[in-house]
Amino acid sequence: MVCLVGVNPWKVFVDSASNATGVGAGIVIITPEGIKLEHSFRLGFRASNNEAEYEALLAGLKVVLDLGAKEVQIYSDSRVLVNQVQESFKAKDPQMVEYLRVVKQTMRYFSSVKVEQVARGQNRHADSLATLASSIANEVPRLIKVELVVEPSIIVKTGVSQVTIVGKC
């Protein structure tokens, strides 16, 4: 017998960034086992802040769907996005109506999806990934590896040096 009580959902933090160089989306996925997956997306088209937030949400949903997730918690610092998805706000702009329709359609592939608003401080990681993607000037795909440097690259010998005092004897 398999007991699924207490199964942790996948957590997905989404954010977007827009600047003079471009528009980007960032997602941070935390698997039920606690593994953190990070992804930056550069949008190859102009998008409003709200459109970019929806693109980030859709990217996150598509990635975890491809990874086999069934229960998902989405976290975003976008008040508009969260409230439209939760149906507290009505989407009026035709672009937002269509984004919301596609999000709702994608959410049907999961057994459970919760969308919550978080403070910007709780979403810094996704924000930094979105900013990275929006700031890249050229369209070259890249892999950015982040490594920990645990020790200085130089060795400074410490010890006792001979000291000569010049003066009165």
Side-chain angles (χ1 to χ4, degrees):
M1 180 171 132
V2 177
C3 181
L4 297 177
V5 176
V7 172
N8 293 328
W10 293 65
K11 294 179 181 178
V12 183
F13 292 81
V14 301
D15 205 357
S16 68
S18 179
N19 58 47
T21 312
V23 182
I27 61 172
V28 176
I29 298 167
I30 303 173
T31 69
E33 299 79 22
I35 298 168
K36 197 176 281 188
L37 309 169
E38 305 155 307
H39 205 129
S40 291
F41 299 88
R42 181 170 174 81
L43 304 185
F45 54 90
R46 294 301 253 159
S48 70
N49 288 338
N50 290 334
E51 290 167 345
E53 292 288 346
Y54 269 104
E55 289 290 343
L57 173 58
L58 285 167
L61 287 171
K62 289 174 184 174
V63 169
V64 293
L65 183 62
D66 287 346
L67 292 171
K70 293 296 178 202
E71 295 186 14
V72 182
Q73 288 182 331
I74 304 288
Y75 301 96
S76 172
D77 58 26
S78 170
R79 184 172 166 251
V80 170
L81 173 84
V82 171
N83 282 290
Q84 285 180 351
V85 173
Q86 291 177 346
E87 299 178 356
S88 300
F89 290 178
K90 182 171 175 58
K92 296 177 183 174
D93 177 78
Q95 295 283 101
M96 295 299 98
V97 170
E98 185 60 15
Y99 270 115
L100 185 57
R101 184 191 69 75
V102 173
V103 165
K104 292 289 189 173
Q105 182 180 0
T106 306
M107 288 170 64
R108 287 189 217 135
Y109 290 103
F110 300 93
S111 60
S112 169
V113 179
K114 293 181 182 176
V115 180
E116 296 180 31
Q117 184 178 0
V118 293
R120 286 183 185 213
Q122 292 177 279
N123 212 25
R124 279 194 191 116
H125 195 159
D127 178 64
S128 65
L129 294 168
T131 301
L132 172 68
S134 71
S135 301
I136 295 172
N138 57 23
E139 303 300 325
V140 177
R142 59 184 76 202
L143 174 64
I144 298 174
K145 185 175 180 181
V146 178
E147 293 185 42
L148 174 65
V149 178
V150 294
E151 296 178 347
S153 298
I154 61 169
I155 299 172
V156 177
K157 294 183 180 182
T158 59
V160 179
S161 296
Q162 184 176 354
V163 178
T164 305
I165 300 177
V166 178
K168 297 181 185 176
C169 293

